[in-house]
């Protein structure tokens, strides 16, 4: 029985899809339409009571929160496909650290930019300039720290590609594309090289080619 | 050599300390004063470049982000003290799920209440009543989901206490105490029983002895 991943056109589910491809785990996808509020239907809330994407079903086993799902599969299938966790306990600790940094320092300002610039324009609204300016400043400071880290380390957790790098793919893709702030990446030499590296992985290219975007 | 935990009077470091007590791992603490901006000085930024608390030093090994630190110790010392991860990989997945829920659904509105009710006007925060109202509403909806979950499961990830439950303790402690919103917990039968259970663990009581950054009224 094949893993089912809900909501493939959206960003957070793509975090799971790229991880499953790296781990060579077969899956199928089930569309969920956020515009029609499908994520608030009783059937969906039965699977994911917060109404967020993604959720996976693996036989009887249901799991939600993309960063929990990728940790689960990276651990369960550690010896299959790319090892996204690190060899030693200490390597694994650093993967956890940078995955937490992505969730708590990187994603919040990027998500603000996505909402104010991408979704606003979709609805024909102008984004809140103050929020955009503050979020860009915050993100700039975070990326300065990444620049320093990546000047000493090929990938975030060390010399190996891990869940921590992978987790950045969906929202950085929005940032350099429809959000229109590619310069934030390109202006930073090591962040730029890191982005070119991770975004050219076959797994990520396959996700983009196969599943598209919500608009 | 003993683990050093920075900033023990604050909430997020207590997330680490309660787990170290559960895992029977010795540690010492190093004070950091946020009010004097000690966390923005070069010596601290060298350890934690984002200037947040906590950070730990374990010999040569430095690690930051409380939920990364607790995952590291829970895994490294799995067979020592309380097992906070679960026995099977599927149980561990559920621990990860509820730990993510704490981080992304529970913590943000709770943190808004902490900043605007407890800490303002310190740290340049102007109290925003709208934000307080919205945050309480969001938190109530999250706690409704918890109420349903805990009516079917003794702890969040299953019938065993885990990182997911313990991770809630520092901010729940603020919520029922200085924030003055104990009713959010007490009104919900299963959430209330769960809170009573986890907050009475000896490991948590020991954490409270490290104090707080202010006087609880």
């Amino acid at each position: 029985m094949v893993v089912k991943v809900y909501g493939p056109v959206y960003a957070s589910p793509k975090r799971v899809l790229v991880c499953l491809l790296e781990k060579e785990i077969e899956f199928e996808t089930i569309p969920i339409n956020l515009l029609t509020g499908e994520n608030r239907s009783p059937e969906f809330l039965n699977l994911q009571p917060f109404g967020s994407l993604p959720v996976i079903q693996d036989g009887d086993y249901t799991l939600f929160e993309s960063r929990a799902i990728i940790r689960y599969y990276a651990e369960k299938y550690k010896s299959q496909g790319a090892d996204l966790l690190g060899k030693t306990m200490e390597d694994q600790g650093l993967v956890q650290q940078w995955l937490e940094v992505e969730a708590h320092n990187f994603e919040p300002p990027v998500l603000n930019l996505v909402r104010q610039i991408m979704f606003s324009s979709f609805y024909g609204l102008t984004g809140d300039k103050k929020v955009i300016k503050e979020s860009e400043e915050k993100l700039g400071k975070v990326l300065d720290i990444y620049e320093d880290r990546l000047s000493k380390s090929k990938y975030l957790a060390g010399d190996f590609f891990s869940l921590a790098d992978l987790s950045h793919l969906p929202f950085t893709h929005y940032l350099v594309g429809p959000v229109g702030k590619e310069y934030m990446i390109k202006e930073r030499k090591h962040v730029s090289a890191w982005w070119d590296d991770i975004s050219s992985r076959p797994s990520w290219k396959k996700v983009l080619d196969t599943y598209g975007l919500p608009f | 050599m003993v683990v050093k935990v920075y900033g023990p009077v604050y909430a997020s470091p207590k997330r680490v300390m309660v787990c170290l007590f559960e895992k029977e791992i010795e540690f010492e603490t190093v004070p950091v004063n946020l009010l004097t901006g000690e966390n923005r000085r070069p010596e601290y930024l060298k350890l934690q470049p984002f200037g947040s608390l906590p950070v730990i030093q374990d010999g040569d090994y430095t690690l930051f982000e409380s939920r990364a630190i607790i995952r590291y110790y829970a895994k490294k010392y799995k067979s020592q003290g309380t097992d906070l991860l679960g026995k099977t990989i599927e149980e561990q997945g559920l621990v990860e799920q509820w730990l993510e829920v704490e981080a992304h659904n529970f913590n943000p509105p709770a943190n808004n209440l902490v900043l605007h009710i407890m800490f303002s006007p310190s740290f340049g925060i102007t109290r925003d009543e709208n934000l307080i109202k919205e945050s309480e509403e969001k938190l109530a909806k999250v706690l409704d989901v918890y109420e349903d979950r805990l009516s079917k499961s003794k702890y969040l990830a299953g019938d065993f206490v885990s990182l997911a439950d313990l991770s809630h303790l520092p901010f729940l402690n603020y919520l029922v105490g200085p924030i003055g919103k104990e009713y959010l917990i007490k009104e919900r039968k299963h959430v209330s029983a769960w809170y009573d259970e986890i907050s009475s663990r000896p490991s948590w009581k020991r954490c409270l002895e490290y104090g707080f950054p202010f006087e609880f009224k």
Side-chain angles (χ1 to χ4, degrees):
Chain A
M1 198 175 279
V2 157
V3 183
K4 290 185 196 156
V5 184
Y6 286 72
V9 301
Y10 296 101
S12 298
K14 286 190 170 69
R15 201 175 263 130
V16 171
L17 301 180
V18 68
C19 177
L20 294 175
L21 286 167
E22 289 282 343
K23 301 305 295 170
E24 296 164 15
I25 296 166
E26 266 199 83
F27 62 88
E28 53 188 50
T29 60
I30 297 180
I32 292 285
N33 190 336
L34 295 185
L35 281 176
T36 60
E38 211 177 331
N39 58 312
R40 311 296 325 175
S41 70
E43 304 79 52
F44 188 80
L45 292 173
N46 225 0
L47 293 176
Q48 215 294 12
F50 300 93
S52 303
L53 289 172
V55 57
I56 63 101
Q57 283 176 296
D58 194 340
D60 284 335
Y61 187 59
T62 302
L63 204 61
F64 52 85
E65 285 296 331
S66 61
R67 297 176 193 83
I69 297 166
I70 63 180
R71 283 169 165 119
Y72 167 73
Y73 282 106
E75 178 76 39
K76 182 164 177 139
Y77 294 91
K78 196 174 199 295
S79 55
Q80 179 178 305
D83 182 354
L84 300 172
L85 284 178
K87 293 189 195 64
T88 64
M89 288 282 170
E90 284 65 41
D91 283 342
Q92 292 179 33
L94 289 171
V95 172
Q96 297 291 357
Q97 173 184 287
W98 288 101
L99 189 41
E100 287 295 299
V101 166
E102 182 272 321
H104 295 287
N105 292 279
F106 178 83
E107 185 173 281
V110 177
L111 196 55
N112 279 342
L113 293 175
V114 166
R115 287 189 180 128
Q116 296 298 331
I117 296 175
M118 270 171 69
F119 290 144
S120 285
S121 102
F122 178 75
Y123 288 103
L125 301 167
T126 337
D128 183 327
K129 287 199 168 71
K130 186 163 176 273
V131 173
I132 291 172
K133 183 167 181 285
E134 283 172 8
S135 301
E136 186 169 339
E137 280 167 7
K138 272 191 186 159
L139 183 58
K141 290 181 179 152
V142 169
L143 290 175
D144 287 342
I145 293 169
Y146 278 35
E147 180 63 14
D148 182 67
R149 171 61 179 169
L150 294 164
S151 70
K152 301 164 183 157
S153 180
K154 184 173 186 199
Y155 296 100
L156 287 170
D159 62 6
F160 60 98
F161 176 76
S162 76
L163 292 184
D165 309 286
L166 176 154
S167 194
H168 288 80
L169 286 162
F171 282 94
T172 311
H173 179 69
Y174 281 170
L175 188 70
V176 305
V179 170
K181 299 206 178 282
E182 190 184 27
Y183 59 86
M184 293 186 80
I185 300 299
K186 289 275 162 235
E187 279 176 352
R188 294 168 170 88
K189 177 178 166 192
H190 298 94
V191 173
S192 189
W194 166 78
W195 171 248
D196 288 344
D197 183 312
I198 66 172
S199 59
S200 60
R201 289 179 80 90
S203 57
W204 182 243
K205 287 183 173 301
K206 185 159 185 198
V207 169
L208 291 180
D209 287 340
T210 319
Y211 300 100
L213 295 172
F215 37 77
Chain B
M1 197 175 279
V2 156
V3 183
K4 288 187 198 158
V5 184
Y6 285 71
V9 302
Y10 297 99
S12 297
K14 287 192 171 70
R15 192 175 276 127
V16 170
M17 288 151 59
V18 69
C19 287
L20 294 177
F21 281 126
E22 290 283 344
K23 300 306 295 169
E24 296 163 15
I25 296 168
E26 266 199 84
F27 65 91
E28 53 189 48
T29 59
V30 181
V32 179
N33 189 335
L34 296 186
L35 279 175
T36 61
E38 213 179 325
N39 59 311
R40 311 295 327 173
R41 290 200 209 128
E43 311 82 60
Y44 189 80
L45 292 174
K46 241 180 140 177
L47 295 175
Q48 214 295 12
F50 299 91
S52 303
L53 288 172
V55 60
I56 62 100
Q57 283 176 297
D58 194 339
D60 286 338
Y61 187 57
T62 301
L63 204 61
F64 53 86
E65 285 295 332
S66 60
R67 298 175 192 81
I69 297 166
I70 62 179
R71 283 169 165 118
Y72 167 73
Y73 281 104
K75 190 169 187 187
K76 182 163 177 147
Y77 294 89
K78 198 177 197 293
S79 54
Q80 177 178 305
T82 315
D83 183 354
L84 299 173
L85 285 178
K87 294 190 197 60
T88 63
I89 303 211
E90 282 64 41
E91 282 180 352
Q92 290 180 36
L94 289 171
V95 174
E96 291 291 356
Q97 172 184 286
W98 289 100
L99 189 43
E100 287 293 299
V101 165
E102 182 271 320
H104 296 288
N105 291 278
F106 176 84
N107 195 61
N111 196 45
N112 281 340
L113 295 177
V114 168
L115 292 177
H116 287 262
I117 296 176
M118 277 169 65
F119 286 122
S120 114
S122 300
F123 307 114
I125 299 164
T126 319
R127 186 177 166 125
D128 180 339
E129 294 296 341
N130 263 336
L131 184 61
I132 290 172
K133 184 168 179 286
E134 281 173 12
S135 301
E136 184 171 339
E137 283 166 6
K138 273 187 186 165
L139 188 56
K141 289 186 179 148
V142 169
L143 291 173
D144 286 341
V145 176
Y146 280 33
E147 180 63 14
D148 182 67
R149 171 60 179 171
L150 294 165
S151 69
K152 301 164 183 155
S153 180
K154 186 175 184 195
Y155 297 98
L156 286 169
D159 61 7
F160 59 99
V161 74
S162 75
L163 294 183
D165 308 288
L166 299 183
S167 194
H168 289 80
L169 282 165
F171 283 86
L172 279 174
N173 181 245
Y174 282 169
L175 196 66
V176 307
I179 291 176
K181 298 198 180 288
E182 191 184 26
Y183 57 86
L184 286 174
I185 303 301
K186 290 277 162 230
E187 280 175 353
R188 292 168 171 84
K189 178 179 164 190
H190 298 94
V191 172
S192 188
W194 166 78
Y195 176 66
D196 287 344
E197 167 82 27
I198 61 174
S199 60
S200 60
R201 290 180 79 86
S203 56
W204 180 243
K205 289 183 176 299
R206 287 180 78 180
C207 287
L208 297 179
E209 290 164 21
Y210 286 81
F212 302 95
F214 43 76
E215 288 299 309
F216 271 19
K217 293 194 188 70

